[in-house]
Amino acid sequence: MRRIALLGATGSIGRQAIEIVAGRPELEICALASGSRPLDALAASLDVEHVQVGGDLAELLERSEPDVVLNAVTGFAGLPATLWALEHGVDLALANKESLVAGGEVAAAAWRRGGGRLIPVDSEHSAAFQLLEGPEPETVHSLVLTASGGPFRGHTREELQDVTPAGALAHPTWNMGPKITVDSATLANKGLELIEAHFLFGLPYERIEVVLHPSSVVHAILRLRDGAALAHLGYPDMRIPISYAVTYPERPATPVPALDLAGGLTLEFGAPDDETFPLLSLARRAGEAGGTLPCVFNAANEVAVSAFLAGSLPFLGIAAVVEATLEGTESSPAVELDELVGADRAARELANRLVSAHEVGVA
Ligand code: NAD
Ligand code: MG
């Protein structure tokens, strides 16, 4: 039996994880956590002993003694759980990319000390993880992450001026929680994923590339030094990477149908539009600068996305708030969780001031 602590149980990833676990007799959920109710009915139906709404995730993990932590919380709130699993050498199936982005260097150090497994759930990173299991490291030239481009792919800045939350939430290929769906529309999601890939695979930023690929069938491509490129394909269905992460290295069957090749597949690629969607290059710069700046990028983005969803910030204001928050913040080294919590709080305060003062130049 593998005992899974499922954090973020009521969300998009959480619900799909419950479906995967229900289909596997060797998997059992030992703990459930979410940010808000209802969770009791779910816990009763799954017969789970340790249940928690909000509160201290590390304490829940301590108590429930899982074999695998599936971190599917959204945002910086997932960081203590990521650090707990890495520090204790407990397998971490990580969907909560924000924790690795904000906590990168601290998490990397905890992972080295703990020595456990970190299996990404994010589809591109699950694909990259699988691709990287083959070739010798010195033969790897670079990693390519694909981006659908979201609902506003091909739009001009002018056309983006008055897009609504409802428009941003209508993702063409993936059905996900609201925060990541808005991040996909701004390309901040691919920025977060770039930093996530850097910390997961230890690749320098200049060896991680992002390409647009509207149908989301190719999840990642590994370029090798001889000019060959290996690709990972699959329908955009998170049950595959969730199953892979919680059962690694068994890879049992899932309910997802096989790719229909005879029916035809569209594999189109292109360059992202960095001018219209600046959050990808802002993330790259924050990642390269390192220290607390990825944490600042993440915090400002979380604040700006909530403000956009609440109707108090225009779509183009999201990137403007993140850029102004980064400009208004000095980078400092991040060694301890406390330093990250401080950097996160300061960045949120600045970003909130920028949102409410409308100081950001949204042209
Ligand atoms: P969601 O909004 O649907 O669900 C988030 C879950 O986190 C909910 O259960 C919520 O109650 C819980 N939560 C929020 N704050 C919490 C807190 N303080 N303590 C405990 N639980 C808390 O989000 P989602 O789409 O499932 O995404 C979850 C994570 O997975 C995000 O980091 C996202 O970027 C990542 N991810 C999601 C997808 C996807 O297809 N949905 C794909 C790749 C990566
Ligand atoms: Mg992804």
Side-chain angles (χ1 to χ4, degrees), residues 109-361:
W111 188 14
R112 278 193 298 273
R113 286 191 298 270
R117 287 196 287 219
L118 170 44
I119 321 280
V121 170
D122 213 344
S123 55
E124 297 78 0
H125 304 73
S126 175
F129 180 93
Q130 294 169 53
L131 290 168
L132 283 161
E133 287 210 303
E136 293 299 324
E138 67 273 18
T139 67
V140 172
H141 175 270
S142 55
L143 172 64
V144 184
L145 303 175
T146 56
S148 72
F152 305 138
R153 181 175 50 87
H155 280 42
T156 62
R157 273 186 79 79
E158 182 149 58
E159 288 166 330
L160 289 177
Q161 254 166 36
D162 42 30
V163 295
T164 60
L169 289 174
H171 196 281
T173 52
W174 294 99
N175 183 9
M176 312 178 284
K179 196 266 177 176
I180 182 176
T181 306
V182 174
D183 284 347
S184 300
T186 63
L187 288 196
N189 182 49
K190 220 43 63 172
L192 295 170
E193 291 187 356
L194 174 71
I195 300 173
E196 181 187 11
H198 167 78
F199 286 113
L200 279 171
F201 307 122
L203 286 169
Y205 286 100
E206 66 270 17
R207 290 172 61 200
I208 312 172
E209 190 185 334
V210 171
V211 295
L212 280 192
H213 169 52
S215 62
S216 306
V217 167
V218 175
H219 303 303
I221 298 168
L222 199 61
R223 295 184 187 278
L224 302 176
R225 67 181 174 194
D226 62 358
L230 309 179
H232 182 288
L233 281 71
Y235 286 125
D237 189 318
M238 289 306 295
R239 291 175 299 179
I240 298 177
I242 292 168
S243 174
Y244 184 82
V246 297
T247 62
Y248 183 83
E250 305 298 334
R251 198 197 281 276
T254 75
V256 181
L259 263 188
D260 178 8
L261 297 168
L265 277 182
T266 312
L267 300 184
E268 198 189 315
F269 298 92
D273 178 352
D274 290 329
E275 306 265 297
T276 311
F277 300 95
L279 279 159
L280 174 56
S281 39
L282 283 171
R284 189 178 279 277
R285 270 189 272 149
E288 282 168 349
T292 48
L293 283 190
C295 178
V296 171
F297 173 92
N298 177 68
N301 184 57
E302 286 190 33
V303 167
V305 169
S306 323
F308 168 68
L309 286 171
S312 47
L313 186 71
F315 184 78
L316 291 174
I318 301 173
V321 164
V322 174
E323 183 166 22
T325 306
L326 284 167
E327 273 168 10
T329 308
E330 297 270 330
S331 177
S332 54
V335 184
E336 302 286 343
L337 176 59
D338 289 356
E339 289 156 341
L340 297 172
V341 170
D344 175 79
R345 187 179 305 128
R348 279 171 200 272
E349 280 166 15
L350 176 52
N352 271 312
R353 283 203 299 278
L354 290 161
V355 168
S356 48
H358 293 289
E359 277 170 18
V360 285

